[in-house]
Amino acid sequence: MSELEAALGYTFRDANLLTQALTHSSYTYEHNLGTMASNERLEFLGDAVLELCVSHWLYTSFPAMPEGKLTTRRAALVCEPSLAALARGLNLGTHMRLGHGEAQSGGREKGSLLSDAFEAILGAIYLDGGLEPARNLVVRLFESHTDTAPPIRDNKTTLQEILQKNTGETASYQTIGQSGPPHNRLFTAQVLHQGKVLGQGQGTSKKEAEQQAASQALHAIQNF
């Protein structure tokens, strides 16, 4: 069992899945491995696994909590800062396979890369052992996380609550552009409400771009 597997509490039957979950697109680009060798597809799967596991955990742990508060709590738990904090607790950054440039620019501490790798690992565990070990990891980590810190409030959650309270409607997000090579993408997103653009932001992931757009919208609302 590797050091990371010990931290995860799970031993992979297919070690290649763990390797892929830790492989950033900058590494595959520099080593001419092709985009399919990166962790992006596993991240896509892990995102869905994470949402299901967290939803089930919240539903069973808080039987008296209404749907709206469950949704808010889930959003706070699965946002990028929260996942990055969990990844740092697992020392995930030291295990990630990054391209030289990404590693030199502090990629092992970037919240977007850490949160993506965390989701990719969940996807890998799901493929390797099924939903149960993935759920066990999520419950163990999030129970420990929420015992030591209050739920993290992110910009998107805060914006949604303000809009819901004042207008009865929530916002939506659109990715309106992306640039740069595959290993160093820059995404542009905008947040819309009632057909109007409230804010726009950029980031190295779609999630980060949406958070920046929500931050701009909150700034505009507070200074209106």
Side-chain angles (χ1 to χ4, degrees):
M1 178 184 290
S2 69
E3 177 186 343
L4 180 55
E5 287 175 316
L8 294 170
Y10 181 79
T11 303
F12 279 83
R13 293 175 292 182
D14 183 355
N16 291 327
L17 282 171
L18 178 57
T19 299
Q20 184 176 358
L22 296 168
T23 302
H24 186 252
S25 57
S26 62
Y27 184 93
T28 62
Y29 179 80
E30 287 189 8
H31 292 80
N32 296 314
L33 299 178
T35 57
M36 299 296 285
S38 77
N39 63 6
E40 291 177 350
R41 282 171 54 84
L42 285 174
E43 177 207 341
F44 165 79
L45 178 62
D47 179 70
V49 174
L50 174 66
E51 183 157 332
L52 174 60
C53 291
V54 170
S55 298
H56 182 264
W57 173 59
L58 290 173
Y59 182 86
T60 55
S61 299
F62 303 97
M65 186 175 289
E67 182 269 342
K69 289 188 177 180
L70 287 172
T71 300
T72 300
R73 180 69 64 88
R74 182 181 63 193
L77 291 173
V78 303
C79 69
E80 183 179 296
S82 175
L83 300 185
L86 294 178
R88 291 187 181 97
L90 295 168
N91 205 22
L92 206 56
T94 62
H95 301 282
M96 291 193 301
R97 299 205 300 174
L98 304 176
H100 179 73
E102 190 65 66
Q104 290 294 104
S105 65
R108 299 189 187 281
E109 281 299 315
K110 287 184 180 178
S112 58
L113 270 62
L114 288 168
S115 62
D116 289 350
F118 180 82
E119 290 180 334
I121 282 179
L122 280 180
I125 291 175
Y126 173 76
L127 289 178
D128 191 72
L131 184 61
E132 191 62 18
R135 188 190 69 82
N136 290 340
L137 175 63
V138 167
V139 171
R140 176 170 63 85
L141 292 179
F142 276 102
E143 282 184 339
S144 174
H145 186 56
T146 53
D147 282 346
T148 58
I152 298 172
R153 293 180 59 81
D154 62 295
N155 294 325
K156 289 178 65 176
T157 300
T158 302
L159 179 62
Q160 295 288 40
E161 289 182 348
I162 292 174
L163 295 176
Q164 180 71 41
K165 179 180 179 180
N166 290 280
T167 70
E169 298 182 20
T170 56
S172 62
Y173 293 83
Q174 290 182 346
T175 301
I176 59 174
Q178 55 181 295
S179 59
H183 66 284
N184 191 27
R185 290 288 193 197
L186 182 66
F187 296 90
T188 303
Q190 62 183 17
V191 55
L192 302 98
H193 179 252
Q194 296 179 341
K196 297 181 179 179
V197 177
L198 297 184
Q200 183 171 302
Q202 290 186 320
T204 55
S205 69
K206 292 181 180 179
K207 292 179 181 178
E208 183 180 351
E210 290 175 357
Q211 285 288 343
Q212 293 300 321
S215 176
Q216 188 181 95
L218 285 170
H219 182 76
I221 290 174
Q222 291 166 1
N223 288 276
F224 180 73

